[in-house]
Amino acid sequence: MKLGMRTVALAGVFAVVAAAAMVATTATAAAAPTATFVKVSDWGSGWEGRYTITNGGSSTLTSWQVDFDLPAGTSIGTYWNALMDRDGQRYRFTNQHWNGTVTPGASVTFGFLGSGSGHPSGCRLNGQPCQPTAPPTTSPPSPSPTTAPPGSTPVAANGQLRVCGEQLCNDNGKAIQLRGMSTHGLQWYANCATNASLDVLAHQWGADVLRISMYIQEGGYETDPRGFTDLVHEYIEMATARGLYAIVDWHMLTPGDPNYNLSRAQTFFAEIADRHRDKVNVLYEIANEPNGVSWGAVKSYADQVIPVIRERDPEAVVLVGTPDWSSLGVSGSGGGVDAITANPVAASNLMYVFHFYAASHRDLYYNTLAAAADQIPIFVTEFGTQQYTGDGPNDFTMSQRYLDLMASKKISWVNWNYSDDFRSGAVFTTGTCASGDFGGTGPLKPAGGWIRDRMRTADDF
């Protein structure tokens, strides 16, 4: 987004981090390591489950293994933060390389999506009973999904994405289009991207992708690298649990030279790629909106950040911002496409980013996108139906022209933004996120209702 945002207290993000920490540290008073299960959500035909392993003993755990049974007719599909094996209805989860060590008093969690009505029984942690095990609890069912059930989520249908020619393709080599929403800045609106709201995004809106927008300046990452990195980890897991693709958005904006944040970006993406390298649903957007610098400066930055990711996650798709607020140069001196084709980033599975706001960016931008899509791989990681400030009147006619173009060329897109910010570009009315009631059309602004309707049409996967 091109508009510098107002300063807002960080209470929202710290509250989310604190809440996650509370979940991760329950039952620390136990005398021995325990594994406690809870059903996080239930939508009738399936559910999300979570185990919390808490080391209540006096010795450090260097690895962990949780075994349990599921009744006939109940099975596990997607899972995260663990490795899974099974023998019939007996399931075994073991630690990943990064979360096997649990010091006294600490906890780790792993989770999974189950189908059927049953829940785990006969749990054992490292060969010992998982007692005391909290009885399974079920959250009130989410509204009935309007899209496919978890067994046919976007990630289940498409697997590891790759770039083939100028297209984004699934693991079968078929060109596809992803459609989804971007969070607003996590330092301001973390309370708008919750388990409840993401259930709505996945099950009611039929989204394919969540863009996790982490600002670097403006009260973002540079103020608390550890806290914001942990928050991004959490959002990746939340997207994974719902079968959504996750774009990790390094939301640099001011200053516009991405090299200003080079060392920060290398540190951040090294940890993110290392932690999530076994997932197939993570995409890395390494520079949101470069501005005030040439394509050469952006390419130099990309040449130094991409190898950090590739060393840890060699197959994931990387998204590179383009000159003049990711307008392919149109918002500046132009020539962005020619500059890129003359000196492209030397990396595979790479796409270039284009942003537009339909009420401000009209035929010149539209024609640039149409032509560029035939020359280089393009992903529209941010667009709005309003002015470039994310505010003002909606231009749904011009927006539909863009959507028709992107559908015809299978250009994936993400709309700005999934929050209740006062501007017209936020999909929810002000106060929605505090209420926690995200379902249906009642809490939606006109832009929210418009984009929801267009996301709910069936995907051609």
Side-chain angles (χ1 to χ4, degrees), residues 322-337 340 354 365 368:
T322 60
D324 301 311
W325 297 277
S326 285
S327 72
L328 290 169
V330 189
S331 289
S333 58
V337 178
I340 291 169
F354 186 77
Y365 291 78
T368 297

Side-chain angles (χ1 to χ4, degrees), residues 122-440:
C123 176
R124 300 186 74 84
L125 170 60
N126 290 348
Q128 300 299 315
C130 294
Q131 300 297 328
T133 304
T137 59
T138 304
S139 299
S142 300
S144 298
T146 56
T147 59
S152 54
T153 64
V155 174
N158 294 292
Q160 178 67 63
L161 305 178
R162 58 189 177 90
V163 179
C164 47
E166 282 72 52
Q167 304 282 175
L168 180 66
C169 296
N170 66 15
D171 58 4
N172 293 320
K174 179 181 179 179
I176 65 168
Q177 181 193 45
L178 299 182
R179 301 171 298 174
M181 292 298 304
S182 176
T183 72
H184 206 316
L186 301 181
Q187 72 271 42
W188 301 311
Y189 295 102
N191 68 329
C192 294
T194 64
N195 280 309
S197 74
L198 296 187
D199 280 345
V200 169
L201 184 64
H203 301 147
Q204 293 189 28
W205 291 39
D208 307 314
V209 59
L210 173 71
R211 182 183 188 233
I212 304 164
S213 183
M214 184 190 70
Y215 279 67
I216 316 309
Q217 277 72 48
E218 300 183 60
Y221 175 86
E222 69 175 359
T223 68
D224 182 11
R226 179 73 268 148
F228 280 98
T229 302
D230 288 344
L231 195 58
V232 171
H233 284 316
E234 182 74 12
Y235 279 121
I236 292 173
E237 301 298 353
M238 292 166 74
T240 302
R242 290 155 179 83
L244 299 175
Y245 288 94
I247 297 174
V248 179
D249 167 29
W250 184 254
H251 204 86
M252 51 71 53
L253 183 61
T254 304
D257 185 353
N259 293 284
Y260 179 85
N261 290 304
L262 175 61
S263 62
R264 295 186 181 100
Q266 290 172 319
T267 298
F268 172 78
F269 282 112
E271 178 171 333
I272 295 295
D274 189 56
R275 173 77 62 90
H276 303 286
R277 60 187 178 184
D278 295 326
K279 293 182 173 67
V280 299
N281 66 317
V282 180
L283 297 83
Y284 303 90
E285 184 176 359
I286 63 173
N288 166 59
E289 288 186 348
N291 57 88
V293 294
S294 67
W295 166 244
V298 180
K299 180 180 181 297
S300 175
Y301 166 83
D303 287 340
Q304 297 176 78
V305 174
I306 293 174
V308 173
I309 296 171
R310 285 285 178 256
E311 180 183 348
R312 296 159 174 85
D313 193 348
E315 296 184 347
V317 173
V318 175
L319 309 171
V320 179
T322 60
D324 301 311
W325 297 277
S326 285
S327 72
L328 290 169
V330 189
S331 289
S333 58
V337 178
D338 292 340
I340 291 169
T341 56
N343 188 24
V345 177
S348 60
N349 287 330
L350 179 114
M351 306 189 83
Y352 298 95
V353 169
F354 186 77
H355 292 175
F356 69 87
Y357 284 81
S360 296
H361 302 141
R362 306 191 67 79
D363 286 349
L364 178 59
Y365 291 78
Y366 175 94
N367 293 334
T368 297
L369 173 61
D374 295 330
Q375 302 176 67
I376 56 177
I378 295 289
F379 198 126
V380 174
T381 61
E382 183 179 315
F383 84 91
T385 57
Q386 318 74 32
Q387 298 168 346
Y388 71 88
T389 59
D391 204 358
N394 294 289
D395 188 335
F396 293 135
T397 300
M398 189 67 193
S399 297
Q400 189 63 55
R401 284 186 63 200
Y402 272 111
L403 259 61
D404 291 344
L405 170 68
M406 292 188 288
S408 69
K409 294 181 177 290
K410 287 195 177 295
I411 301 171
S412 295
W413 54 256
V414 176
N415 181 253
W416 182 270
N417 65 79
Y418 204 61
S419 84
D420 63 355
D421 178 59
F422 66 92
R423 296 173 178 85
S424 58
V427 298
F428 295 113
T429 56
T430 302
T432 297
C433 298
S435 75
D437 185 8
F438 301 95

Side-chain angles (χ1 to χ4, degrees), residues 62-77:
T62 58
S63 63
W64 48 264
Q65 174 181 303
V66 174
D67 300 85
F68 56 80
D69 295 307
L70 287 178
T74 300
S75 61
I76 290 174

